[in-house]
Amino acid sequence: MRLLLNAVLLISLSLSVNSQRFVRFISSDGKEYYGDAILPSGTVDAAKSRQAHVIQGDILGDFTITKQVKDIKKLLAPLPNERVRTVRCVGLNYVAHINETGQRIPDWPILFYKPFTALNSPSDPIPVSDGYQTQGNFTSTMDYETELVIVIKKKAFNISDDEALDHVLGYTVGHDVSHRGWQIDRGGLPQPQFSMGKGPDGWAPWGPAIVSTNLIPDPQVLNIWTKVNGVTMQNSSTANMIFGVKHLVSFFSMGTTLLPGDVIFTGTPNGVNLGKADPVWLTNGDVVEVGLENVGTCTNPIKYV
């Protein structure tokens, strides 16, 4: 019996070590599960997964990946909103993006926050309420921003760059939906006003999976992109980040505790509408795909509500 228990334990540990793509989903039985996504042949996009090994326990703590397989009917955000204490975001973290917007390269990371109510699933509509739509002489200037997202797995306070990745569960992709009118034109002083321009409900789709640091040991070598209605608008690499993942986690832990479940949107590359001579702002019905190499895609329509 002891040998049998040891064998089961070894199998469980082996599954845990080899499991990398954490998803939260509704299955065909109508129940919600955490799972390790099973990738279809020929893709590393977790959004295309149709099945997952069920996870028992807490992916931010102790958990086991079981052999039980469940169908994925709908992918949810990787964590429920209430598990995310803070949504930290980085501004101006790619030189080419800084150049296109006429800003200067910052000496330190620029931090702003979104409320956790901004978080959205990798497929649900991005709601745009009346105050953000075109009204009279106020033009709606909705913009897209694709970003690598860091997910914290254990408490971090005043840690060094070298310690940072020990506190990271993994990475996913996020869409920092932005309204330039409320961010800048109506931003007041000092400009910009990030919160009103970036914080509405549903304006931070993320997912489709949290890919473990075991599978992505170096987050600074990943292609990152945005497509609008199938047309590529942003195409860059996380190698072009001014402040890398290690430094961002360390810097944001300075005097302020990072908690399990906290997420950090790490800034967007060039190619956004802001700074273009002839911008084509997002409008009702547009479909935006943001993607990150070895992670997958979030594809969300813009919906006026």
Side-chain angles (χ1 to χ4, degrees):
M1 178 63 72
R2 179 173 293 178
L3 289 175
L4 178 60
L5 289 174
N6 287 340
V8 171
L9 178 60
L10 285 172
I11 291 171
S12 174
L13 288 173
S14 176
L15 280 170
S16 296
V17 169
N18 293 325
S19 304
Q20 311 294 346
R21 303 174 190 277
F22 304 107
V23 292
R24 189 170 65 98
F25 63 97
I26 302 295
S27 190
S28 52
D29 60 7
K31 296 180 180 179
E32 179 183 319
Y33 297 91
Y34 286 92
D36 172 36
I38 300 172
L39 293 176
S41 177
T43 184
V44 291
D45 184 352
K48 301 184 183 303
S49 296
R50 296 297 175 260
Q51 291 184 313
H53 289 283
V54 173
I55 292 177
Q56 294 180 346
D58 183 1
I59 65 170
L60 298 175
D62 296 325
F63 64 88
T64 300
I65 287 79
T66 71
K67 287 186 174 181
Q68 182 183 14
V69 174
K70 285 286 186 180
D71 291 336
I72 297 174
K73 184 177 180 181
K74 176 181 173 60
L75 278 174
L76 305 173
L79 293 170
N81 285 7
E82 59 268 20
R83 291 298 309 273
V84 182
R85 307 291 186 89
T86 59
V87 182
R88 289 170 169 83
C89 302
V90 181
L92 302 178
N93 200 25
Y94 288 77
V95 172
H97 175 55
I98 292 170
N99 290 340
E100 73 180 349
T101 58
Q103 304 297 313
R104 70 173 187 86
I105 297 174
D107 296 319
W108 298 278
I110 295 174
L111 168 66
F112 65 96
Y113 290 83
K114 286 183 180 240
F116 68 70
T117 51
L119 295 172
N120 200 345
S121 84
S123 62
D124 284 322
I126 297 165
V128 181
S129 60
D130 288 347
Y132 292 91
Q133 300 171 21
T134 295
Q135 295 179 342
N137 62 358
F138 179 63
T139 300
S140 179
T141 50
M142 296 284 299
D143 212 346
Y144 46 81
E145 293 191 6
T146 184
E147 309 199 6
L148 177 148
V149 178
I150 307 164
V151 183
I152 301 299
K153 70 177 179 182
K154 66 178 182 179
K155 186 167 68 172
F157 181 77
N158 285 343
I159 63 172
S160 67
D161 286 20
D162 290 338
E163 297 171 304
L165 294 189
D166 292 336
H167 296 260
V168 174
L169 175 64
Y171 311 99
T172 188
V173 66
H175 182 185
D176 177 15
V177 183
S178 303
H179 190 291
R180 306 306 184 187
W182 278 108
Q183 179 188 349
I184 299 172
D185 298 338
R186 290 186 170 183
L189 294 174
Q191 290 184 340
Q193 166 58 273
F194 285 112
S195 295
M196 286 300 295
K198 292 172 174 281
D201 291 359
W203 282 28
W206 68 305
I210 301 169
V211 179
S212 164
T213 55
N214 293 325
L215 190 56
I216 302 180
D218 184 358
Q220 307 303 155
V221 293
L222 306 174
N223 181 233
I224 187 168
W225 69 90
T226 296
K227 294 180 181 179
V228 177
N229 300 327
V231 179
T232 299
M233 296 297 183
Q234 293 181 281
N235 188 17
S236 187
S237 169
T238 57
N240 297 323
M241 290 168 60
I242 298 169
F243 305 107
V245 167
K246 291 181 180 180
H247 186 63
L248 290 174
V249 173
S250 170
F251 185 81
F252 291 154
S253 78
M254 181 178 62
T256 304
T257 302
L258 292 169
L259 293 170
D262 284 352
V263 298
I264 302 172
F265 281 61
T266 59
T268 198
N270 64 304
V272 300
N273 275 306
L274 181 64
K276 287 184 178 179
D278 297 302
V280 180
W281 304 108
L282 298 176
T283 191
N284 190 42
D286 284 342
V287 177
V288 184
E289 173 192 301
V290 295
L292 183 66
E293 182 182 358
N294 214 14
V295 172
T297 55
C298 296
T299 305
N300 305 80
I302 302 293
K303 184 177 181 180
Y304 283 8
V305 294

